[in-house]
Amino acid sequence: MKHKATLIVMMAITLLASCNRNKTDETAKQVDTIPEMVMHIQKCSRLYTAEYTFHKIITHQDKKTIKASLFKTDMSFDIPMSERKIAIPMDATVKAYIDFSNFSEKNITKYGNKIEITLPDPRIIMTSSKINHEDIKKDVSLMRSNFSDDELLSYEKQGRDQIIKAIPQTDILERAKMNAANNIIPMIKLMGYDEKNITINFRKDFSNNINNLIDKTTIEHGK
């Protein structure tokens, strides 16, 4: 009986040591997954999470005028048969993305088996714009010259500017945030975290003023 009791005690000690070792190994593994997690998320680089296609008709109309002054009064007169009109169909693609190049361990907070990831602010960019030259409609009077390539480029720029101003009327920002979370959560689950313990959010002082998130200067053709 004495030997049996001693054996039981030794087995209990061995089991306790094994449990403590497993617990220590599990804790170490959880700590070690953070750098690995950062590395995998950084590999996303620029993650595009939402896309909108805009179709717009750009219109322009002008006519020649004569300016004169009579009795110190300025006057202007339209020249007959000098009117020009044009309607230009244009398609543009706008995308929302998240740039993970500066993502770091500062973006990750752990509470036991729970993990919270704060994503960088979404950004919005027009990635392409194209004029459908075959469907351009124009009416040019005999006394006027045709629209030049420079004028067409100018009208295209006006169209892009108008589309950018219309972006806040869409839900692209909310879609970008939701889709970003849907892309990141499976990656975190593969590292052993339960989905119910994963929280994806954005910084607390994140501004929903979409105009601050739009890149109004760059067009990345071919994206």
Side-chain angles (χ1 to χ4, degrees), residues 78-215:
D78 294 336
I79 299 177
M81 304 292 292
S82 66
E83 188 174 29
R84 292 190 311 173
K85 298 179 182 178
I86 191 168
I88 307 169
M90 187 178 81
D91 294 307
T93 300
V94 173
K95 295 182 180 181
Y97 68 90
I98 294 180
D99 186 353
F100 287 101
S101 58
N102 293 320
F103 188 87
S104 70
E105 293 185 26
K106 294 180 180 179
N107 295 84
I108 301 175
T109 305
K110 284 180 85 294
Y111 307 96
N113 62 347
K114 297 180 186 237
I115 187 163
E116 179 178 320
I117 298 178
T118 302
L119 297 181
D121 296 351
R123 300 291 302 175
I124 300 170
I125 189 170
M126 181 180 291
T127 58
S128 66
S129 65
K130 180 181 179 182
I131 287 179
N132 188 347
H133 291 274
E134 294 182 357
D135 292 333
I136 291 177
K137 307 295 182 185
K138 54 186 175 180
D139 182 8
V140 181
S141 298
L142 294 176
M143 297 183 63
R144 297 294 306 278
S145 58
N146 200 355
F147 292 95
S148 67
D149 290 340
D150 288 342
E151 287 176 313
L152 293 179
L153 288 174
S154 174
Y155 302 149
E156 182 180 9
K157 182 182 182 304
Q158 292 176 26
R160 289 199 303 267
D161 291 342
Q162 292 171 14
I163 289 173
I164 288 173
K165 288 180 180 179
I167 291 175
Q169 301 171 21
T170 71
D171 66 343
I172 190 171
L173 185 58
E174 290 305 314
R175 286 179 54 191
K177 292 163 64 177
M178 179 180 66
N179 291 339
N182 291 337
N183 275 274
I184 295 299
I185 288 176
M187 186 185 304
I188 309 304
K189 288 174 63 178
L190 288 175
M191 296 184 182
Y193 290 89
D194 195 319
E195 184 170 348
K196 67 181 180 182
N197 294 327
I198 302 172
T199 300
I200 307 292
N201 58 23
F202 291 82
R203 60 188 175 90
K204 294 293 186 286
D205 58 345
F206 171 71
S207 172
N208 280 320
N209 185 355
I210 194 171
N211 290 301
N212 296 332
L213 306 174
I214 300 174
D215 187 335

Side-chain angles (χ1 to χ4, degrees), residues 36-54:
E36 182 183 356
M37 189 181 301
V38 170
M39 180 187 68
H40 283 293
I41 293 177
Q42 282 180 340
K43 284 182 179 179
C44 294
S45 184
R46 179 174 287 193
L47 176 64
Y48 287 90
T49 56
E51 177 178 320
Y52 265 86
T53 301
F54 291 83

